[in-house]
Amino acid sequence: MQFVAVVVAALVAYGFGAFWYTRMSKPWMAAAGIPVGPDGKPQGSGSPMPFVVGFVAEVLVAGMMRHIFVQAQLDTVVEGLMGGFGIGAFLITPWVAMNYAFAARPYKLTALDSVNAIVGCTLMGVVLTLF
């Protein structure tokens, strides 16, 4: 049953990411420096690999979050929400910010990607405590 919880948590976070990056596609592409064609779509896109890697990453994060939650005995929705938020805001976001700072990426890119990490982990935490 816990494997199902991990997959569902990953799907929920992945779904949020799809929503977030659809809504923020233009500012994200500008901040990431992705060239776009006259139609406004990224040039040379079409490979499914980023989507596959993204989902595998979501499953890995959800699996580790489940392990952490079990070890820390986080089992209520509020604890899952706070635990997920903490992981996104205080583990993933600082790491992304550090990497982007060394790569001289725009702050706006850090902010856009951090929202995805924070909300995605928060949603994962809630889902994991519902099972």
Side-chain angles (χ1 to χ4, degrees), residues 3-97:
F3 177 74
V4 172
V6 168
V7 171
V8 171
L11 284 169
V12 168
Y14 191 85
F16 172 75
F19 167 79
W20 178 247
Y21 287 114
T22 297
R23 302 283 300 157
M24 302 306 290
S25 62
K26 287 183 182 171
W28 185 86
M29 287 188 292
I34 296 175
V36 296
D39 59 0
K41 294 183 180 180
Q43 293 178 344
S45 66
S47 171
M49 192 51 71
F51 299 99
V52 172
V53 170
F55 183 69
V56 169
E58 298 281 7
V59 170
L60 292 172
V61 170
M64 190 62 204
M65 282 180 62
R66 181 197 169 275
H67 174 73
I68 291 168
F69 282 21
V70 168
Q71 296 302 308
Q73 298 179 0
L74 303 180
D75 53 13
T76 69
V77 172
V78 172
E79 290 171 340
L81 185 142
M82 293 306 297
F85 176 85
I87 288 169
F90 301 110
L91 295 179
I92 296 176
T93 293
W95 205 283
V96 168

